[in-house]
Amino acid sequence: MSAPTWTLQCSACGTPAPLEKASVCPACHQPLFATYAPVPAGTALGNRWDMWRYAPFLPLLEGEAPVSLGEGLTPLIESPALAAAAGVRRLWIKDEAQNPTGSFKARGMSAAVTRARGAQVPGIVVPTAGNAGAALAAYGAAAGIPVRVYAPGTTPRPILDTIDAMGAELIRIDGHIGDAGKLAIAFAAESGYFPISTLREPYRVEGMKTMGFEIVEQLGWRVPDVVVYPTGGGEGTVGIWKAINELVASGWLPGETRQPRYLVAQAAGCAPIARAFAAGAEKADPWVDPVTHAAGLRVPSPLGDRLLLRVMRETDGLAGTASEEAIREWTRTLAVQTGIDAAPEGGCGLSVLRDAVASGLVKGDAEVVLFNTGSGASYRV
């Protein structure tokens, strides 16, 4: 195998970090980013029909086989009916439910478990609001690496059943994902297992950024006006932003290309990013008593808050919230109008988009990509 084609440095202060078993920045404790030499425009993309088609932009050694279950290359489905309902000119749904284990989390775990396997870790541990645990259980099984998952007991039963089915050690807890995170970190310290929670290591976001590559290519190598992303930990939005920056830097997109406006959608019962953004804060205070049936949004204290808020402000971004009733209503609208079995997170995004249009924050002539981050089936008992 050849030498790595990437380096790691802090996303905030630029401090370099080792490539394997990397966590947050050793100097300021902010998330690390992988940095690559520019990939010349026109470089041949891979023949694979999964996210590793974009291998020149990903942390993969030459000759190394990724830990893959066929993740990525999900459909981008245009819906004139939903565009009319939301009040925009064109609207596409990026349906991440069609990933292995039924959510966008498969992308990040494919990349992170590939690098964990390369580092020969004895095991991997993660706290989860649901889908990340199911994804890690599957990719750990594919890599032959033991997995422990800490999950709130309120996590939807089908997701917990998936974790069990993949042979991971599942620890159900009382409390929320923040409580699970403390237990996961403590277990990692005593066991040697590698902790792999959102933006606490640098490679999950590398898998997530393939969503950015895909929407640009699917739209004919251009960016939409607005990207609506239901947000818990924030790695999806950060990943798409990172991908578009890399495409511009490498000449795949014109230098004058502007980032989309990122519309962060959160549940009204757990909205630390939306609250911080509205207050003009640089970081988000923890949300006390997070409550929402959209389990993926039940993240009261995201580690990547500073980075996500920075991304939103750099791109003229927006944030909004939806009530539990609105999430249910718009999830059903999304499903009935399109045939997509949407998770409540997707319904939250659609509700927040409609409110943003109604208030004039998003123009009616906008072209919008809305992410349905997971499968509705994962929430049905």
Side-chain angles (χ1 to χ4, degrees):
M1 292 185 183
S2 65
T5 59
W6 72 95
T7 58
L8 290 181
Q9 64 183 40
C10 179
S11 61
C13 71
T15 298
L19 297 184
E20 303 294 1
K21 298 184 180 179
S23 183
V24 294
C25 173
C28 71
H29 308 293
Q30 290 299 297
L32 297 175
F33 267 176
T35 302
Y36 306 79
V39 179
T43 298
L45 298 175
N47 293 323
R48 300 177 60 107
W49 200 245
D50 56 29
M51 79 173 197
W52 294 97
R53 178 172 182 270
Y54 302 101
F57 292 92
L58 293 172
L60 191 69
L61 298 173
E62 185 177 349
E64 181 181 31
V67 180
S68 176
L69 295 170
E71 57 291 323
L73 299 195
T74 56
L76 187 68
I77 302 166
E78 185 169 10
S79 175
L82 279 188
V88 296
R89 184 163 64 89
R90 298 183 77 180
L91 176 64
W92 293 266
I93 306 298
K94 182 68 166 165
D95 188 15
E96 290 295 293
Q98 297 193 39
N99 276 298
T101 71
S103 84
F104 77 114
K105 297 291 187 179
R107 297 176 184 265
M109 292 308 179
S110 178
V113 173
T114 295
R115 293 274 44 89
R117 184 185 62 183
Q120 299 182 325
V121 301
I124 307 173
V125 59
V126 73
T128 187
N131 285 318
L136 180 59
Y139 284 87
I145 301 174
V147 168
R148 177 181 277 207
V149 176
Y150 288 89
T154 53
T155 302
R157 177 63 183 273
I159 297 176
L160 295 177
D161 288 347
T162 298
I163 296 169
D164 271 331
M166 297 295 170
E169 183 181 8
L170 173 61
I171 311 297
R172 295 173 172 85
I173 69 159
D174 293 327
H176 53 65
I177 190 174
D179 302 312
K182 293 174 184 177
L183 293 170
I185 291 171
F187 176 75
E190 70 185 36
S191 68
Y193 273 41
F194 186 64
I196 203 166
S197 56
T198 299
L199 291 170
R200 190 170 288 280
E201 60 80 56
Y203 297 119
R204 277 178 61 174
V205 77
E206 293 302 295
M208 297 306 182
K209 79 182 183 186
T210 59
M211 295 185 292
F213 297 149
E214 288 177 26
I215 62 172
V216 167
E217 185 172 7
Q218 287 169 317
L219 291 174
W221 296 101
R222 63 189 181 90
V223 300
D225 299 315
V226 178
V227 167
V228 183
Y229 210 95
T231 299
E235 64 185 350
T237 302
V238 170
I240 296 166
W241 168 82
K242 187 174 189 289
I244 292 174
N245 280 343
E246 290 177 357
L247 289 173
V248 172
S250 294
W252 290 72
L253 289 172
E256 66 273 14
T257 299
R258 294 185 63 184
Q259 284 272 354
R261 300 179 73 195
Y262 294 98
L263 175 51
V264 164
Q266 296 202 292
C270 185
I273 298 298
R275 181 175 64 187
F277 186 73
E282 293 185 359
K283 65 182 184 69
D285 292 330
W287 192 273
V288 177
D289 192 23
V291 177
T292 175
H293 73 283
L297 304 181
R298 204 184 303 140
V299 181
S301 186
L303 177 68
D305 56 343
R306 293 175 183 267
L307 177 57
L308 179 57
L309 288 163
R310 189 185 96 200
V311 167
M312 293 167 66
R313 294 199 171 98
E314 285 182 4
T315 60
D316 192 25
L318 304 161
T321 64
S323 68
E324 296 300 287
E325 181 181 50
I327 292 172
R328 289 187 172 89
E329 176 187 348
W330 286 97
T331 301
R332 178 167 175 78
T333 297
L334 200 164
V336 169
Q337 294 284 356
T338 67
I340 294 170
D341 188 7
E345 291 83 358
C348 179
L350 191 55
S351 175
V352 168
L353 172 62
R354 181 67 189 95
D355 288 348
V357 174
S359 63
L361 295 173
V362 171
K363 294 182 179 179
D365 63 353
E367 294 188 337
V368 179
V369 171
L370 185 150
F371 278 78
N372 175 50
T373 52
S375 170
S378 297
Y379 291 79
R380 291 193 290 272
V381 179

